[in-house]
Amino acid sequence: AALYVPLGGLAPVVDRQVYTRLGATRFRYEAADGSFSAEIATDADGLVTEYPGLFARLTSGAEAPA
């Protein structure tokens, strides 16, 4: 679960999350209420390398997409 405080408010909100392993370095993230899901990729250390629609890690010498 994640905890965040919405802008304009002081009451923290719990955001329940579910992660499902799809392969050695691929996971599906889902909001527990089913409102959102994404397939994310990680490296061998478990650090996220690709989160579609949000970011992709660049390798040394790589240029950012236009």
Side-chain angles (χ1 to χ4, degrees):
L3 183 70
Y4 68 94
V5 178
L7 293 176
L10 297 176
V13 176
V14 175
D15 185 20
R16 304 225 179 269
Q17 305 171 343
V18 177
Y19 290 86
T20 304
R21 176 171 241 147
L22 302 175
T25 59
R26 299 205 67 81
F27 297 84
R28 180 183 306 110
Y29 159 76
E30 297 175 272
D33 66 3
S35 64
F36 178 80
S37 70
E39 191 172 312
I40 58 177
T42 65
D43 63 15
D45 295 317
L47 299 173
V48 177
T49 59
E50 180 185 358
Y51 196 124
L54 188 59
F55 73 88
R57 184 170 75 184
L58 299 176
T59 58
S60 179
E63 292 187 27

